[in-house]
C-alpha cells in the first residue's frame, strides 16, 4: 500500500534546534549561513524544492520549481501556490533586517492574482522587500513571477516582531558545508507526481458539484496537489466544501514551525472548491484575491486540520467565499476570504483559463 507523502518519515532537520546559537547572529547573517548550506534544510524544503535564491538587507527572493505536483484536476495551479511561495519571501525580507535574538510570526497575508501558472511556468519566484520593520510589527510586499519574468501575483504581509526574552547561546563556530544523507527515494518534488488530471470531457459534461461529490466518494482520483498536501474531502454540498489535511512535520520550517504558506494554500484551494460546486458543466473560475489571518500557531502533531469553505456570494461573474481552518482540538488557527471570476460556458483548458488580468495592451504604433 502506498504511503501518502505527509505520512512518510520526514527528511531534513531543524537548524535552530540543532544550532540555537544561530539566533545570536543578525537576521541577514543567519540567511548567509543557510544560503551557504552550512546547516540542514528543513522538511518543507525537501517537500517542495524551494530555496532562498537571494537575500540582502531588506530583501529576499524565494524560488520554487513549478512541478506537476502543484496541478489541480484541471491542470492549472491554485492561486494559493503563489501564497505558498510568497509567504517565505515576505517573512524573509523582514527577517533580514533583524538584530540578533529577534523572531517573527506572520499575522496576515494578502494576495492579488494576475495570471494563472502551469508546469510551463518553469519556476515560481517571489521577490520581496521590506516596507517597514518597527519594534512590534513589520510590513513587506512581493511580486510573484514565473521563469520568464511574467507577473503572476502581488502580495503583502504583516508580521509580529518579537525579541527573545533570553540571551541565545554564542553563535556556532564556522560550520562546514552540510552534506545531506542519502535517502532511498528522491525528494517528493523530484518524483513523478501522483494523482491524475481529469479529461476535459468530465468538466464539459458534469457540474462542479457532481465532480466534487464523486471526489468525496472516492469515484474520482485525487489531483496531484491533493496527493502532495494530503487533502481529503470530508463533506460537500452546493456552495460548501470541507477538506481535511494532516498537520504533518513535512510542512515545517527550520524552527519546527508550521509554515503559514501551507495554510494559505489550503484556504485558497478549499474556497475555490466551494465556488466550483456552483458551476454548471463546461464552466470554470479564476481566483482574484486571497486574504488570510493567522490566529494561532499550528502544532505539527500529524492530526487533521479541518478547512470549511463556503460561498457567501455567487453573482453572474463574481463569487466570494470564506473559510475557517481549525485544528484537531477544534481551535481556530486561521480564517480567510477570497473572490473569484466565474466563466460560465467556458470550460477548463490545460493552459489555464484566460488571465484574470489580461496582458498589457501593446503600445500603439506610430
Amino acid at each position: 500500500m502506498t504511503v501518502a507523502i505527509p505520512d512518510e518519515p520526514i527528511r531534513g532537520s531543524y537548524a535552530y534546534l540543532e544550532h540555537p546559537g544561530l539566533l545570536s547572529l543578525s537576521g541577514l547573517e543567519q540567511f548567509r549561513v543557510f544560503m551557504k548550506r552550512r546547516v540542514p534544510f528543513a522538511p518543507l524544503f525537501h517537500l517542495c524544492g524551494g530555496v532562498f535564491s537571494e537575500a540582502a538587507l531588506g530583501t529576499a527572493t524565494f524560488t520554487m520549481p513549478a512541478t506537476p505536483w502543484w496541478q489541480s484536476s484541471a491542470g492549472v495551479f491554485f492561486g494559493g501556490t503563489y501564497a505558498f511561495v510568497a509567504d517565505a519571501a515576505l517573512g524573509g525580507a523582514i527577517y533580514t533586517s533583524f538584530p540578533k535574538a529577534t523572531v517573527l510570526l506572520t499575522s496576515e497575508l494578502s494576495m492579488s492574482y494576475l495570471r494563472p501558472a502551469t508546469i510551463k511556468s518553469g519556476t515560481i519566484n517571489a521577490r520581496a522587500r521590506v516596507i517597514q520593520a518597527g519594534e512590534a510589527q513589520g510590513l513587506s510586499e512581493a511580486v510573484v513571477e514565473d521563469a520568464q519574468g511574467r507577473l503572476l501575483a502581488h502580495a503583502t504581509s504583516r508580521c509580529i516582531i518579537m525579541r527573545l526574552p533570553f540571551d541565545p547561546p554564542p553563535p556556532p563556530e564556522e560550520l562546514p558545508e552540510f552534506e545531506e544523507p542519502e535517502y532511498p527515494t528522491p525528494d517528493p518534488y523530484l518524483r513523478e507526481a501522483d494523482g491524475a488530471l481529469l479529461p476535459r470531457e468530465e468538466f464539459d459534461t458534469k457540474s462542479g458539484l457532481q465532480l466534487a461529490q464523486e471526489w468525496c466518494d472516492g469515484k474520482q482520483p485525487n489531483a496531484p496537489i491533493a496527493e502532495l498536501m494530503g487533502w481529503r474531502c470530508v463533506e460537500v454540498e452546493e456552495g460548501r466544501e470541507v477538506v481535511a489535511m494532516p498537520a504533518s512535520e513535512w510542512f515545517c520550517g527550520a524552527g519546527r514551525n508550521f509554515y503559514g504558506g501551507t495554510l494559505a494554500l489550503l484556504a485558497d484551494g478549499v474556497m475555490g472548491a466551494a465556488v466550483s460546486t456552483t458551476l454548471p458543466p463546461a464552466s470554470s473560475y479564476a481566483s482574484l484575491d486571497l486574504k488570510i489571518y493567522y490566529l494561532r500557531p499550528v502544532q505539527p502533531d500529524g492530526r487533521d486540520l479541518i478547512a470549511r469553505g463556503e460561498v457567501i456570494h455567487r453573482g453572474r461573474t463574481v463569487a466570494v467565499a470564506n473559510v475557517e481552518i481549525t485544528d484537531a482540538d477544534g481551535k481556530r488557527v486561521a480564517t480567510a476570504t477570497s473572490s473569484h471570476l466565474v466563466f460560465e460556458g467556458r470550460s477548463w483548458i490545460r493552459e489555464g483559463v484566460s488571465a484574470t488580468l489580461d496582458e498589457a495592451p501593446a503600445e500603439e504604433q506610430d
Side-chain angles (χ1 to χ4, degrees):
M1 182 177 178
T2 303
V3 177
I5 288 174
D7 295 330
E8 289 185 13
I10 61 169
R11 298 181 179 186
S13 56
Y14 304 114
Y16 288 111
L17 303 187
E18 294 186 11
H19 303 287
L22 288 170
L23 291 168
S24 289
L25 303 173
S26 71
L28 185 55
E29 289 172 326
Q30 292 175 48
F31 260 90
R32 290 170 178 157
V33 172
F34 280 93
M35 294 178 69
K36 290 179 181 178
R37 295 292 285 116
R38 304 303 188 193
V39 292
F41 278 166
L44 179 76
F45 302 96
H46 286 274
L47 178 77
C48 70
V51 295
F52 281 99
S53 54
E54 297 177 2
L57 188 62
T59 65
T61 299
F62 190 75
T63 298
M64 186 183 78
T67 70
W69 283 105
W70 298 101
Q71 294 177 110
S72 69
S73 294
V76 297
F77 292 6
F78 286 119
T81 307
Y82 310 154
F84 188 91
V85 176
D87 186 50
L90 290 161
I94 295 173
Y95 203 90
T96 62
S97 69
F98 283 177
K100 69 176 185 178
T102 306
V103 295
L104 61 77
L105 288 174
T106 303
S107 63
E108 60 186 70
L109 173 66
S110 298
M111 303 293 303
S112 293
Y113 303 129
L114 304 175
R115 183 179 288 109
T118 69
I119 56 175
K120 292 185 177 181
S121 299
T123 58
I124 299 177
N125 314 299
R127 309 179 192 281
R129 70 177 186 91
V130 168
I131 298 174
Q132 169 71 20
E135 285 294 317
Q137 64 176 327
L139 298 175
S140 55
E141 69 171 351
V143 292
V144 183
E145 302 168 331
D146 65 12
Q148 292 74 44
R150 291 177 295 196
L151 186 62
L152 302 175
H154 178 262
T156 60
S157 180
R158 182 189 305 272
C159 296
I160 304 302
I161 298 173
M162 298 174 292
R163 317 295 173 181
L164 295 180
F166 58 88
D167 288 328
E173 300 292 333
E174 181 70 22
L175 296 169
E177 184 172 348
F178 181 79
E179 293 187 11
E180 287 285 353
E182 291 189 8
Y183 297 105
T185 58
D187 282 347
Y189 75 97
L190 293 171
R191 304 176 196 171
E192 183 177 352
D194 293 330
L197 309 186
L198 296 185
R200 179 165 177 170
E201 292 74 22
E202 291 286 282
F203 295 107
D204 286 347
T205 59
K206 296 178 181 179
S207 70
L209 178 58
Q210 185 177 357
L211 288 172
Q213 289 171 332
E214 290 178 355
W215 178 47
C216 236
D217 294 338
K219 298 177 181 178
Q220 292 285 2
N222 282 339
I225 183 63
E227 289 285 342
L228 181 67
M229 309 304 290
W231 292 351
R232 306 186 317 278
C233 180
V234 177
E235 299 174 20
V236 64
E237 60 187 74
E238 186 172 358
R240 181 175 176 271
E241 187 154 338
V242 181
V243 173
M245 183 188 79
S248 169
E249 283 195 61
W250 276 103
F251 307 130
C252 286
R256 200 174 177 268
N257 53 301
F258 195 88
Y259 180 50
T262 306
L263 293 179
L265 174 60
L266 174 63
D268 182 271
V270 173
M271 288 187 287
V275 170
S276 74
T277 65
T278 70
L279 298 179
S283 299
S284 56
Y285 73 89
S287 299
L288 288 170
D289 54 45
L290 167 73
K291 176 80 169 185
I292 182 168
Y293 296 93
Y294 299 100
L295 306 179
R296 58 167 44 86
V298 171
Q299 298 304 315
D301 54 16
R303 298 188 296 163
D304 278 347
L305 298 167
I306 304 295
R308 297 174 174 86
E310 183 175 7
V311 176
I312 59 175
H313 171 75
R314 171 63 158 89
R316 191 184 330 184
T317 57
V318 174
V320 179
N322 61 22
V323 68
E324 181 180 270
I325 303 176
T326 57
D327 64 17
D329 296 319
K331 296 179 179 178
R332 280 192 297 268
V333 298
T335 184
T337 59
S338 64
S339 64
H340 311 260
L341 276 180
V342 175
F343 301 106
E344 289 197 12
R346 180 161 36 162
S347 189
W348 294 102
I349 55 176
R350 283 288 177 259
E351 304 307 317
V353 297
S354 299
T356 59
L357 191 66
D358 290 336
E359 299 282 354
E363 293 184 6
E364 294 184 2
Q365 300 296 319
D366 292 333

